Structures are given as structure tokens and as C-alpha cells.
Amino acid sequence: MNNLKFNLSISKNELYATLNYQIKPTDNFIFHLSSEMKIDELLINNNVALFEKEITKLDFIGDVQKITISYSGITSIELSYHGEVKGWHNRILDDKILLSFYSCYYPQQTNIALDDVKIFIDKGKDFELVNGNFDENLNKWVYDASKAEYGDYNLALFRVGTFYKNRLNNIYFYTTKEEELTLINRGANLSEEILSYYASIYQAEKKRIISIVSNGLEDGGAYIRPNLIMLAALKDSEYFWYRLLGHELGHLWASGADTNSCEDWMNETCAEWSCLSFMSHQGRHDLFDKELNVHLEYALKYASEKIITADGSRPEGVHFRGVALFNLVYQQYGLDAINQLLKIFYDLDEKTTTAYLSKIKDYSEPIYEIISN
């Protein structure tokens, strides 16, 4: 098995990390790490190792350092580094610590698949780690990243006494603002309705515990992982709740295609049409029209951009062009056809456009013609 023990210590705005990999023998190790991080020590099989460093870019992140190590029979890697954390939904403050994929604070796009990953955070019981467990013996919080479906290590810690938490069935809400408590109740109830509806159209339930965190730090936007939704702030607006939860919870089913390529159009299109389907099901045609029109307007902006790019890269308008394409199906065949397209994507063993179009063609030749063109 390939295992990683990842120790994190945090002081002021800097992060100090020590990672210990125990892996099956290999002759090279490649990883990407934030350019803000300074490597203090790198040992291979307990020996100081030389490495090549190249500055490059990763989608959603920006500049990173690509580290390449060539060494015969690598079975043990010890890596220590420190630096300032920067990136979307990343902050180190006295009352909260937010670390996400978007800062590349941990090694990403490595050439080694890990079976067991444990992250140990050097914070005591005066903090609480979302989706974490406290180890009394170590006096540290532990995050089990072994089952992270996207390979992401997204951490949110709040100082006890500075946040509010509420639970409704399998959904936890966290916020640092007392005025958001009433909004949390609204969001929790709506989440249950959305999850129930999606289970019916996809014919598959998602029973995992989900934590929804309002961090109050960013101007907007949200990201979702299988057990975490991270967002900026809660708003007293039905449209906000329907579109945010409708889309982000939709990704629990609408996911699996490569998010770093043009194939991501399927994830985003199906998540958004899940949201639109729920709005229509609830009879909220006012919200449906508002949300759809936003996407159609942006789709016009990116009209010259192909959904499937020649080099496979992720197009800028990936959130909008597919929504407009599905709208052509909706206009001719209605919501039942859209829901069938959503289920077809969910059921795919191979989440590629080629595989998706093949299954759509089996379902309906006319709809296949619309989507394929």
C-alpha cells in the first residue's frame, strides 16, 4: 500500500508541513506545490535527495513549482516545507483556518496513487475541524483523506465560541455570523427537499453526511466536494438558496468527468439542469426563468467558443454553453427528456463525451442530433 502521514502546524499566516510517504518501489516521484512554499528538506530512503524544479501553472490555481525526483528504488519520502497560504477560499486567521485545493498547499498531481492518507493538524480542542476527529492521545485534529473522491484535502477549522453549527438529518451547517442562523434553517430544509428530488430523478440516493460552511471571507462563489460545500456567505434570498444548493448539491450526482478538460461541460451542464429541474418541479418558474436566462446570456458571450476544444483544454464558458445546448432539448421535448439526460450521465461507467453521446443516441436519435451538433 501507498500511505501518507501529513503533519500540519500553523503559525500566524504561515503553514509548516512535514509529509511522510511509504510507497511501493518506484524510480521517480513527481509533484506540484504552491510557489509560495519553500522546501526545507527532502529525503529519499533517509538520504538527502536532489530534485529538479520547474515553474509552471495549474488550472484554477496559477503558478506552482513542479518537483521531479529520480532515484532508484524509492520506498520512503520525507518532505518538509513552509510558506504563506494564498488562493481562493484560503485564509489563516485567529478564529478560523481555511485551506483548500485552490492554494496548492499540499503536493498535487503526483505520479503516485495513495491508499491511505491521514492529516494531523496541530490544534487542540479550542478549535473544531469540519469533518474531522480529535485524537485525545495526540491532542491533534485528524482528517482522513483516504476516501476523498477528488483527491483534495480541503480543511476548515473554527475556534470554539466563534461559530454556530446546526444539523438537520445528514446536513451540517457552519457559520461565524449569528444573523445567519435563521437562514441556516431555511437552507437545511431546502437541502432536504433537493436531495429527495434528485434521488428520484437519478434513481439513486446520496446518504453521506454533508457539511455546508459559510466562511464569510470571499465576495462570492462556492465549491463542492463529496462531503463539503464551501461558500462565501448566506443571503436572505430565495434565488440565492435555490441556485446555490440546487447546483452544488447537483454535483453529488453530476460529477466524474475530468474537471481539468473540456469534458467538464458534462459535470456543469448536468448540475445546472438538476437545479433548473428542481425549480420547475417546485413550480418556481420565476426562478427557473431567471437562472436559465443568466446562462443563456453568458452562452451568447462565448458563442464562438467550442465546447469540445481541439487540444482538450477546459473552455472558459464551460458553465454556460452546455446549459444552452440542453435548453434546445428542453424547448422541443420538455423536462422529462432533460431528466433522462441527467440520469444517462450519472449511469455512465466512462464519463466522456464520446460515451455520453453513444448512450444518448441509444435513447433518442433526434436528441442525439441536437446534442452532437
Side-chain angles (χ1 to χ4, degrees):
M1 291 181 64
N2 294 330
N3 303 325
L4 169 62
K5 289 185 178 181
F6 185 168
N7 288 282
L8 275 177
S9 179
I10 298 160
S11 177
K12 296 184 179 179
N13 196 39
E14 285 201 322
L15 172 151
Y16 297 82
T18 301
L19 290 76
N20 186 296
Y21 294 85
Q22 299 296 321
I23 61 175
K24 298 174 183 176
T26 184
D27 293 334
N28 59 76
F29 180 51
I30 300 169
F31 64 91
H32 299 74
L33 187 65
S34 167
S35 296
E36 300 293 330
M37 298 298 162
K38 178 184 177 182
I39 295 178
D40 300 313
E41 187 174 56
L42 180 54
L43 301 178
I44 301 296
N45 298 351
N46 296 318
N47 298 312
V48 176
L50 299 177
F51 57 87
E52 297 178 9
K53 183 171 78 170
E54 173 191 355
I55 300 301
T56 184
K57 291 183 181 293
L58 291 182
D59 289 341
F60 310 110
I61 294 170
D63 289 343
V64 298
Q65 47 189 322
K66 178 182 178 182
I67 305 298
T68 302
I69 305 156
S70 297
Y71 193 102
S72 179
I74 301 172
T75 58
S76 172
I77 304 162
E78 293 184 30
L79 171 64
S80 297
Y81 58 84
H82 74 278
E84 187 176 354
V85 177
K86 294 182 179 180
W88 190 50
H89 286 294
N90 283 267
R91 292 292 189 278
I92 296 177
L93 300 172
D94 289 340
D95 61 342
K96 68 191 77 172
I97 299 167
L98 305 170
L99 301 173
S100 81
F101 159 89
Y102 300 98
S103 65
C104 204
Y105 79 90
Y106 61 91
Q108 293 188 21
Q109 294 194 15
T110 72
N111 63 324
I112 296 173
L114 296 170
D115 302 297
D116 184 70
V117 181
K118 298 291 193 303
I119 303 177
F120 301 89
I121 301 109
D122 192 16
K123 290 292 180 184
K125 282 188 171 181
D126 52 332
F127 275 82
E128 179 172 327
L129 172 64
V130 176
N131 297 333
N133 295 296
F134 190 75
D135 189 310
E136 296 282 355
N137 295 324
L138 297 175
N139 196 36
K140 292 182 179 181
W141 283 95
V142 182
Y143 182 81
D144 185 350
S146 305
K147 298 179 181 179
E149 294 181 22
Y150 294 93
D152 291 1
Y153 312 152
N154 301 292
L155 308 178
L157 295 100
F158 294 96
R159 186 179 293 279
V160 173
T162 67
F163 70 96
Y164 303 90
K165 181 170 69 172
N166 191 20
R167 179 177 184 177
L168 178 62
N169 295 328
N170 287 340
I171 300 176
Y172 284 96
F173 277 84
Y174 291 81
T175 180
T176 58
K177 299 178 180 179
E178 187 175 5
E179 60 269 25
E180 290 188 345
L181 286 175
T182 56
L183 301 179
I184 281 178
N185 293 327
R186 180 190 301 178
N189 288 313
L190 185 62
S191 295
E192 286 293 310
E193 294 181 41
I194 292 171
L195 291 172
S196 176
Y197 178 67
Y198 289 174
S200 70
I201 63 172
Y202 285 101
Q203 296 178 30
E205 290 191 25
K206 296 291 183 180
K207 294 183 177 180
R208 62 167 58 94
I209 292 176
I210 302 169
S211 296
I212 300 178
V213 180
S214 169
N215 62 42
L217 295 178
E218 306 291 342
D219 292 333
Y223 72 83
I224 185 171
R225 296 300 183 266
N227 63 348
L228 174 69
I229 295 178
M230 183 68 68
L231 56 118
L234 307 181
K235 296 181 181 179
D236 189 8
S237 159
E238 283 189 303
Y239 178 57
F240 166 82
W241 283 107
Y242 270 79
R243 68 183 295 270
L244 171 76
L245 296 176
H247 182 95
E248 298 302 343
L249 291 175
H251 275 303
L252 293 177
W253 287 265
S255 61
D258 183 4
T259 58
N260 294 313
S261 75
C262 56
E263 302 285 21
D264 193 33
W265 79 270
M266 294 177 288
N267 299 325
E268 295 302 334
T269 299
C270 291
E272 184 57 32
W273 268 100
S274 298
C275 173
L276 290 166
S277 179
F278 177 72
M279 290 175 174
S280 178
H281 172 74
Q282 295 290 94
R284 296 308 305 265
H285 303 295
D286 54 334
L287 302 181
F288 177 95
D289 292 341
K290 183 176 182 177
E291 180 70 355
L292 179 59
N293 286 335
V294 167
H295 282 74
L296 295 181
E297 289 174 10
Y298 274 102
L300 287 175
K301 177 182 176 181
Y302 295 105
S304 62
E305 183 181 84
K306 291 185 178 297
I307 294 177
I308 303 301
T309 54
D311 62 357
S313 61
R314 187 179 189 269
E316 190 175 351
V318 71
H319 276 256
F320 313 108
R321 294 293 310 285
V323 173
L325 189 61
F326 271 35
N327 185 51
L328 298 177
V329 175
Y330 173 72
Q331 294 298 327
Q332 293 188 48
Y333 297 98
L335 194 60
D336 287 344
I338 291 294
N339 289 343
Q340 188 60 37
L341 292 180
L342 301 180
K343 187 176 187 307
I344 290 171
F345 176 64
Y346 175 74
D347 288 339
L348 286 177
D349 293 324
E350 181 186 3
K351 302 294 180 78
T352 64
T353 299
T354 300
Y356 194 24
L357 290 177
S358 176
K359 292 296 184 180
I360 291 173
K361 188 174 183 179
D362 291 342
Y363 164 62
S364 167
E365 286 269 3
I367 292 177
Y368 166 80
E369 291 299 326
I370 294 173
I371 300 295
S372 62
N373 291 330

